[in-house]
Amino acid sequence: MHEHDVLVVGAGGAGLRAAIAAHEEGADVALVTKLHPVRSHTGAAEGGINAALRDGDSWEDHAYDTMKGSDYLGDAPAIETLCQDSPKETIQLEHWGMPFSREEDGRVSQRPFGGLSFPRTTYAGAETGHHLLHTLYQQVVKRGITVYDEWYVSRLAVTEDPDPEKRECHGVVAFDVQTGEVAGFRARNGVILATGGPGQVFDHTTNAVSNTGDGPAMAYRAGVPMEDMEFIQFHPTTLPSTGVLISEGVRGEGGILYNEKGERFMFEHGYASNSGELASRDVVARAELTEVNEGRGVDDEYVHLDMRHLGEERIIDRLENILHLAGDFEGVDGLVEPMPVKPGQHYAMGGIETDENGETLVSGLYAVGECACVSVHGSNRLGGNALPELIVFGARAGRHASGTDLGEAIIETGKTEDTEIGEVDTPVAPGAIHAGDTDEDAVADGGDPRSEGAGVIPEPNEVVERALKAENRRIDHLMEKDEGIQQAELREKLQKTMTRNVNVFRTEEGLKQALRDIREVREQYQDVYVDDPSRTFNTDLQQTIEMRNLIDTAEAITLGALARDEFRGAHWRQEYQERRDEKWLKHTLLSWNNGTPELWYKPVILEGEDKTYEPKIRSY
Amino acid sequence: MSTHVPQEQDESNVDAGESRPRSSHQDRRLQDKADRAERNKQESEERAGEDEETVEIKVFRYDPEVEGKQEPRFDTFQVPFEKGMTVLDTVMYARDHYDSSLTFRHSCRQAICGSDAFFINGRQRLGCQTQIAELDTPVRIEPLPHQEVVKDLVVDMDSFYEQMEAVEPYFQTNEAPDDELAEQRQNRENREKIKMGTRCIWCASCMSSCNIAAGDDQYLGPAPISMAYRFAMDEREGEDMQDHRLRIIEQEHGVWRCQTQFSCTNVCPKDIPLTEHIQELKREAVKKNLKFW
Ligand SMILES: Cc1cc2nc3c(=O)[nH]c(=O)nc-3n(C[C@H](O)[C@H](O)[C@H](O)COP(=O)(O)OP(=O)(O)OC[C@H]3O[C@@H](n4cnc5c(N)ncnc54)[C@H](O)[C@@H]3O)c2cc1C
Ligand code: SF4
Ligand code: FES
């Protein structure tokens, strides 16, 4: 068994920052990651990091913009923490050598981004994420922090108390992708999940193939609630054939959207008469699809994004990467022709419920980055607000897990006096297949026979040992089964129904259809098997385990979307065309109660440090 | 990380006594697989006969653990062609539809994670960045040469990572402002100078293409040297640090091994002028007259 003070699962921006912070506090910290750190998806971020660095700007303005952008579903304590800490965390990156773009006077450059009242998006060309990821990894190398790379974490080692709030996390179980060795990892102080977004739930996504929602699904099954899962951001400018992202920086620099008739539709069709192309992402995404649906799309599929008028020099200086992306992945030269773009799944606003210190309701378990929901983005994330989230909350979680006192968190996790139990009418039963928890199929499913030693509180090492044993059984089962269905078929089915039914525009019937399809996939999953007999680099096995996580994540997204009968931020419902503040100024939470998802709500916190954010009508 | 093959009875498996009866099981699987392969072959031949446009790929296969795959070989797959299709798309298709044991690294699909560098039609390229339409068919896809093969298209990256780390690939400065909100300014020209060197995605294509690196496993190699360049030329690090860095790349297996063959520069998917960086470091070292060995 491997043993450390703090274990960080995932080595993207959030995980790396957490590990560095823990190391600085003197903790023995290790990163466990299924990809080598520099392969993490943070490297794909293009546009930039929001931080109030200049005269004329302030963290308060940043907080106000963020609250407004969230459509009043962000929690003020989290948003204020984000905006207060972002400047020093961003400059910290600069002190670590991150090659930001520079102004004439040598200061870091900033540019305008959608939904921001000040040009506060700090960037490094159009490859900000690449530089952020590499700069952080460099610091990890410098400090000699232990990295278990290409180790896939497949289970959390959590005690079995019937009350999730009394459960404790003592470590994880993972397998070495290269050799197939399965091992227990004990964490003396805490486990920090930083596993990134769940984009692979959809088939047209800007996310990497490895973004499979592993963290949220594992935490969910261990009793931690998933929060606000219905809020999925669809980015308005992705390349039609691959989902590759064309940064918002293009519109920030003055790029223009045209429909097939050459109309600048954001203005001419009144979608956002003030901000035009720089309206919030949800607004632009819906506008584009409306253009296509009403017959004004190019090839009935997309619209055009034009940056030619910016001139070669400016494009090369600030958006060079975009030229490469459009050329390599769509065969289009952005200097001489407009680029085809359409909306694609991009970001999950929801995730594992945490407080401002990254703590979840299970003690010893933390979550940060895109897999978490500390609730800074509410129902719609502003461009450039995810990267500061990684470094701000990554650093806080790393410190807190190492035992540093950060003060009492204001956001409460788990059920409180204000909790309201929810109900939603589903066409099929969601959650685990209760065919009998002890049978072999439940094992395949990751189900864990709970009988052993129930009632006795085991030693932490024993908790890890038990989880290891259960995981070995599951893996052996998947490997030894000879026939059945393969994960690739299920994955395609799940992704298709999500893209068809839980997309930018959502209807009640569509959401119900998605739940039926997910149920079918879940049933078929009972019969899944791994065809590759080898223990060496068995990606078939890895993808099969990921598939189970996709099922739970997809279901949580859809259940939340069905429950929320209003239109807020990125969540559009055909039957409900209004934001309903009287009913819905609250977060959606889903808990896995012995395999049955339980729906409940908690109110949004609109009270900040010294002001309360009053919901206003969004207008662009 | 090691690349050893686990023993039958791995000590980490706490389920002692439950040894896996792997061999007979494996045999049966392999027979099934052979049958399936035969069916797939027929299917793809039928496909080739239909109107649907397909592309033929020949993929290198090897698995040290599985009998029947221990002898390296090439498998042929017919993949339906779509406009805009990349080499990565074809191997993903083959894996998802024909043989789920086909193994390769990949993640971002947009030339930024650096994990799918393969030897495609005799040249190092990223699978996701290479359009099928630009290649002669059948497309031959092999693991990166000069690197140990772990399985199919997956190579062992440890030595690459070690060489990268040997050049101290992290910013080191004594001049960062004490004020946590004050920037350590950098002028535009200097950023411009190091810009290309910061673009490396650690794909190892350059190392794989370099004859010298192939013959001398201690040679730092193009990507690590370019990484050293990125820091040595960053004015924020200061003079002393630059000397230190030049010393590292000047060692016996450093810049002087480079014979300016340009193969690294030719294959780099990020257009990093590697050879130029190496030459400039040589000049810099001569200027400083820093020969220590
Ligand atoms: C194309 C694109 C562009 C973007 N541009 C911007 C931008 O300009 N500005 C901005 O603010 N935001 C941007 N975002 C959003 C932002 O980049 C992401 O939200 C953020 O990078 C996520 O970082 P992370 O550290 O949470 O996860 P990731 O970087 O995705 O890292 C996840 C890590 O978890 C590991 N992992 C996952 N599952 C397991 C497991 N089971 N076991 C072990 N390890 C595991 C992976 O190996 C990886 O290391 C962009 C996103 C995309 C997709
Ligand atoms: S220098 Fe270029 S070829 Fe070499 S590892 Fe970096 S990106 Fe790959
Ligand atoms: S898949 Fe990331 S570089 Fe090709």
Side-chain angles (χ1 to χ4, degrees):
Chain A
M1 193 187 307
H2 303 278
E3 199 169 326
H4 298 274
D5 294 337
V6 177
L7 281 177
V8 182
V9 181
L16 294 170
R17 185 67 190 88
I20 294 167
H23 187 264
E24 282 182 342
E25 299 298 318
D28 161 23
V29 53
L31 284 150
V32 191
T33 165
K34 67 181 178 181
L35 306 170
H36 183 277
V38 302
R39 317 260 179 252
S40 302
H41 204 53
T42 292
E46 297 166 12
I49 308 173
N50 296 338
L53 299 174
R54 294 281 183 273
D55 289 347
D57 196 9
S58 67
W59 74 260
E60 286 91 346
D61 287 353
H62 184 189
Y64 178 80
D65 292 343
T66 304
M67 185 55 98
K68 177 174 172 234
S70 82
D71 222 353
Y72 302 93
L73 209 77
D75 284 336
I79 289 179
E80 294 193 339
T81 304
L82 176 86
C83 303
Q84 284 165 346
D85 288 5
S86 179
K88 72 167 189 259
E89 282 294 335
T90 304
I91 298 304
Q92 174 69 83
L93 290 171
E94 201 250 12
H95 290 179
W96 284 336
M98 179 159 161
F100 282 107
S101 294
R102 298 283 168 170
E103 295 298 332
E104 286 300 343
D105 63 1
R107 296 194 69 182
V108 298
S109 298
Q110 296 198 302
R111 65 177 161 212
F113 244 41
L116 298 180
S117 57
F118 190 91
R120 71 170 72 88
T121 307
T122 319
Y123 62 96
E127 49 201 29
T128 310
H130 166 80
H131 294 305
L132 180 142
L133 181 70
H134 281 255
T135 302
L136 288 173
Y137 180 59
Q138 288 161 9
Q139 292 299 311
V140 162
V141 173
K142 182 175 180 189
R143 289 166 167 75
I145 294 172
T146 309
V147 182
Y148 298 89
D149 70 312
E150 300 197 320
W151 276 81
Y152 181 90
V153 174
S154 57
R155 184 186 292 265
L156 304 178
V158 172
T159 54
E160 290 180 5
D161 199 282
D163 177 1
E165 306 220 14
K166 292 200 185 120
R167 290 180 198 159
E168 287 171 32
C169 181
H170 292 298
V172 305
V173 180
F175 60 85
D176 181 344
V177 178
Q178 285 219 20
T179 65
E181 176 198 343
V182 189
F185 288 75
R186 165 83 208 285
R188 290 180 216 104
N189 291 13
V191 171
I192 302 178
L193 295 174
T195 59
Q200 287 299 313
V201 160
F202 293 86
D203 71 357
H204 189 79
T205 173
T206 63
N207 282 201
V209 176
S210 60
N211 286 2
T212 49
D214 296 349
M218 285 190 292
Y220 179 50
R221 292 195 296 269
V224 182
M226 293 210 216
E227 180 173 350
D228 289 341
M229 293 299 285
E230 63 271 31
F231 295 112
I232 296 287
Q233 179 162 77
F234 297 89
H235 198 288
T237 56
T238 72
L239 295 175
S241 54
T242 46
V244 166
L245 180 87
I246 297 301
S247 162
E248 188 159 325
V250 175
R251 281 171 296 135
E253 297 291 344
I256 297 176
L257 289 166
Y258 293 111
N259 65 16
E260 195 226 1
K261 296 161 126 180
E263 293 166 321
R264 194 173 176 183
F265 58 87
M266 289 307 297
F267 290 101
E268 289 184 42
H269 290 263
Y271 297 105
S273 308
N274 296 322
S275 338
E277 283 83 7
L278 281 175
S280 263
R281 291 177 173 176
D282 56 318
V283 176
V284 183
R286 279 191 298 271
E288 291 175 357
L289 276 189
T290 307
E291 290 300 299
V292 172
N293 292 344
E294 292 182 359
R296 295 187 296 275
V298 187
D299 288 349
D300 282 334
E301 197 198 345
Y302 48 86
V303 296
H304 276 142
L305 175 61
D306 198 349
M307 61 176 185
R308 291 173 294 183
H309 57 285
L310 300 177
E312 184 166 344
E313 196 183 330
R314 179 132 159 241
I315 293 174
I316 302 260
D317 183 39
R318 302 178 178 208
L319 300 165
E320 187 187 341
N321 184 40
I322 301 301
L323 288 179
H324 294 305
L325 295 176
D328 290 342
F329 301 102
E330 203 68 53
V332 165
D333 181 351
L335 290 176
V336 301
E337 51 196 325
M339 301 174 283
V341 292
K342 75 175 200 183
Q345 190 282 342
H346 180 55
Y347 186 85
M349 270 73 78
I352 302 166
E353 184 208 35
T354 74
D355 64 23
E356 314 94 278
N357 298 331
E359 267 198 298
T360 72
L361 115 180
V362 167
S363 83
L365 186 64
Y366 295 76
V368 284
E370 193 171 334
C371 72
C373 180
V374 54
S375 200
V376 285
H377 310 302
S379 63
N380 179 52
R381 173 175 73 84
L382 294 180
N385 260 357
L387 296 179
E389 180 190 7
L390 308 182
I391 50 181
V392 167
F393 293 101
R396 290 179 73 87
R399 286 189 198 117
H400 197 275
S402 320
T404 308
D405 184 7
L406 297 179
E408 187 80 25
I410 299 169
I411 296 172
E412 277 182 271
T413 56
K415 292 184 182 158
T416 65
E417 284 168 4
D418 297 325
T419 297
E420 189 190 318
I421 297 302
E423 249 179 71
V424 58
D425 178 23
T426 57
V428 283
I433 309 269
H434 283 291
D437 266 349
T438 46
D439 73 18
E440 286 287 279
D441 291 339
V443 173
D445 216 3
D448 181 358
R450 291 193 162 252
S451 54
E452 288 168 73
V456 194
I457 297 172
E459 289 298 308
N461 278 350
E462 209 185 314
V463 176
V464 180
E465 291 290 355
R466 275 191 205 172
L468 175 62
K469 210 163 157 182
E471 201 52 28
N472 267 313
R473 283 190 49 176
R474 175 200 202 181
I475 291 174
D476 287 349
H477 175 86
L478 289 170
M479 294 286 292
E480 277 159 21
K481 203 168 147 76
D482 275 326
E483 52 187 7
I485 196 158
Q486 289 191 268
Q487 67 81 28
E489 199 177 314
L490 298 179
R491 197 179 281 220
E492 194 179 320
K493 202 160 153 181
L494 185 84
Q495 291 174 334
K496 285 236 158 78
T497 190
M498 291 300 285
T499 299
R500 192 173 311 126
N501 298 307
V502 200
N503 215 297
V504 176
F505 294 127
R506 298 166 173 186
T507 66
E508 180 168 331
E509 189 33 47
L511 295 171
K512 289 189 167 163
Q513 186 53 46
L515 284 175
R516 283 185 214 110
D517 293 341
I518 294 166
R519 188 71 192 173
E520 209 176 291
V521 169
R522 197 189 277 282
E523 276 163 17
Q524 287 178 305
Y525 189 81
Q526 303 290 304
D527 206 21
V528 80
Y529 80 111
V530 174
D531 194 40
D532 185 352
S534 174
R535 288 269 172 164
T536 304
F537 224 103
N538 192 332
T539 50
D540 190 5
L541 172 65
Q542 183 182 325
Q543 287 194 298
T544 302
I545 293 176
E546 286 171 350
M547 184 59 215
R548 171 63 209 274
N549 297 332
L550 289 173
I551 294 173
D552 285 340
T553 313
E555 191 174 77
I557 293 169
T558 314
L559 280 172
L562 188 59
R564 186 172 286 271
D565 51 5
E566 68 160 349
F567 166 19
R568 183 183 300 269
H571 175 63
W572 183 99
R573 285 282 305 264
Q574 187 182 48
E575 304 85 1
Y576 307 95
Q577 285 293 299
E578 254 161 45
R579 195 175 86 191
R580 299 166 73 189
D581 285 349
E582 14 21 277
K583 183 174 177 201
W584 280 112
L585 275 176
K586 60 191 183 193
H587 301 289
T588 322
L589 290 114
L590 276 176
S591 294
W592 185 258
N593 187 351
N594 242 335
T596 308
E598 209 186 302
L599 177 70
W600 47 286
Y601 305 108
K602 65 174 185 181
V604 179
I605 309 174
L606 295 174
E607 295 86 47
E609 224 167 68
D610 46 34
K611 80 185 233 203
T612 295
Y613 298 83
E614 290 297 335
K616 294 205 181 89
I617 302 287
R618 274 165 110 215
S619 61
Y620 290 91
Chain B
M1 208 169 14
S2 71
T3 53
H4 82 281
V5 177
Q7 301 303 304
E8 282 286 27
Q9 188 83 49
D10 198 314
E11 59 179 10
S12 69
N13 286 335
V14 289
D15 273 342
E18 259 187 49
S19 78
R20 290 185 221 108
R22 288 245 297 268
S23 325
S24 67
H25 179 64
Q26 275 194 9
D27 285 349
R28 198 170 59 239
R29 281 252 181 115
L30 286 170
Q31 188 51 48
D32 286 353
K33 225 179 184 76
D35 295 348
R36 228 179 353 257
E38 187 51 39
R39 279 200 305 278
N40 286 337
K41 203 165 151 225
Q42 281 169 9
E43 194 189 316
S44 64
E45 272 160 14
E46 282 160 24
R47 269 219 154 113
E50 287 169 16
D51 289 349
E52 193 181 18
E53 202 183 339
T54 63
V55 46
E56 185 170 300
I57 56 173
K58 288 189 178 303
V59 188
F60 179 89
R61 305 302 301 273
Y62 164 77
D63 186 331
E65 206 186 330
V66 176
E67 236 177 284
K69 263 185 84 183
Q70 284 156 339
E71 266 316 300
R73 61 161 202 267
F74 281 87
D75 277 355
T76 303
F77 302 100
Q78 299 285 344
V79 177
F81 176 77
E82 275 174 45
K83 193 175 161 281
M85 189 172 222
T86 65
V87 170
L88 179 64
D89 293 330
T90 64
V91 285
M92 284 172 72
Y93 188 94
R95 177 197 62 195
D96 291 348
H97 295 86
Y98 302 140
D99 181 355
S100 64
S101 73
L102 178 57
T103 305
F104 46 92
R105 290 190 181 97
H106 68 301
S107 186
C108 70
R109 301 162 306 150
Q110 57 184 86
I112 195 71
C113 77
S115 55
D116 65 339
F118 308 137
F119 198 55
I120 301 166
N121 281 1
R123 181 181 192 270
Q124 288 80 359
R125 317 174 205 239
L126 297 178
C128 64
Q129 201 189 26
T130 308
Q131 293 280 325
I132 285 290
E134 288 165 13
L135 299 173
D136 292 338
T137 48
V139 179
R140 218 175 138 92
I141 309 166
E142 297 165 75
L144 288 182
H146 306 313
Q147 251 108 330
E148 201 187 320
V149 179
V150 176
K151 176 175 170 182
D152 295 349
L153 300 175
V154 174
V155 295
D156 182 14
M157 294 287 289
D158 285 353
S159 63
F160 177 78
Y161 295 146
E162 274 161 29
Q163 297 302 70
M164 276 306 222
E165 293 185 10
V167 300
E168 302 184 5
Y170 36 81
F171 190 61
Q172 306 181 66
T173 181
N174 294 322
E175 285 151 37
D178 290 333
D179 181 349
E180 62 179 14
L181 289 173
E183 291 144 64
Q184 183 180 10
R185 303 191 185 200
Q186 179 184 31
N187 66 50
R188 282 188 163 186
E189 294 69 42
N190 189 235
R191 184 203 180 242
E192 210 47 40
K193 186 171 176 75
I194 63 161
K195 185 173 89 179
M196 295 310 285
T198 64
R199 293 213 168 144
C200 175
I201 55 173
W202 297 45
C203 72
S205 289
C206 54
M207 293 294 246
S208 164
S209 77
C210 173
N211 283 333
I212 295 102
D216 172 4
D217 60 7
Q218 290 183 58
Y219 171 46
L220 287 173
I225 296 177
S226 171
M227 186 61 71
Y229 174 93
R230 171 253 175 279
F231 288 109
M233 296 301 168
D234 193 322
E235 287 173 357
R236 297 171 298 168
E237 279 204 341
E239 284 281 312
D240 290 354
M241 190 44 70
Q242 192 183 46
D243 288 351
H244 172 69
R245 292 205 179 272
L246 289 173
R247 248 171 244 144
I248 295 175
I249 53 99
E250 257 250 317
Q251 49 165 298
E252 191 178 343
H253 297 271
V255 283
W256 299 107
R257 295 272 149 146
C258 170
Q259 296 174 4
T260 45
Q261 292 174 345
F262 283 95
S263 54
C264 53
T265 306
N266 290 337
V267 299
C268 176
K270 291 285 151 185
D271 301 328
I272 302 171
L274 294 157
T275 314
E276 226 172 88
H277 285 172
I278 299 173
Q279 292 308 98
E280 206 177 324
L281 283 175
K282 284 182 186 167
R283 281 199 296 277
E284 206 60 37
V286 171
K287 257 200 298 198
K288 295 218 170 176
N289 196 15
L290 274 172
K291 271 208 164 150
F292 290 103
W293 45 276

